[in-house]
């Protein structure tokens, strides 16, 4: 895991960015979901926005995500 962000709605949910450009969604210590191909390479940052999240990758892209 390269970076992480905490959910504001569920204190047990954590989002982590991987070296392969995926986002993992955890609830407690259980992996609940993998979002593949978010970036073409490592995710350096996950930041909470007012209506979702933003991810920044080594590929030079910043992507925004709504809360869903």
């Amino acid at each position: 895991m390269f970076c992480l962000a905490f959910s504001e709605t569920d204190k047990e949910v954590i989002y982590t960015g991987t070296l392969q450009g995926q986002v993992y969604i955890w609830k407690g210590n259980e992996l609940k979901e993998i979002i593949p191909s978010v970036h073409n390479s490592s995710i350096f940052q996950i930041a909470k926005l007012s209506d979702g999240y933003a991810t920044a990758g080594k590929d030079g892209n910043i992507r925004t995500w709504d809360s869903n």
Side-chain angles (χ1 to χ4, degrees):
M1 300 305 120
F2 216 54
C3 58
L4 64 88
F6 296 93
S7 171
E8 288 196 8
T9 57
D10 187 340
K11 299 299 181 191
E12 291 186 32
V13 174
I14 299 171
Y15 304 93
T16 57
T18 70
L19 294 172
Q20 296 81 22
Q22 304 163 318
V23 171
Y24 288 5
I25 302 174
W26 303 84
K27 180 142 184 166
N29 62 356
E30 183 179 342
L31 180 60
K32 291 299 209 174
E33 186 177 350
I34 297 173
I35 303 173
S37 304
V38 172
H39 288 272
N40 294 328
S41 57
S42 303
I43 297 176
F44 288 145
Q45 181 69 37
I46 302 175
K48 177 67 179 117
L49 303 174
S50 61
D51 59 347
Y53 295 86
T55 57
K58 184 178 178 181
D59 58 8
N61 293 313
I62 296 174
R63 297 211 162 89
T64 57
W65 308 87
D66 65 23
S67 295
N68 297 321

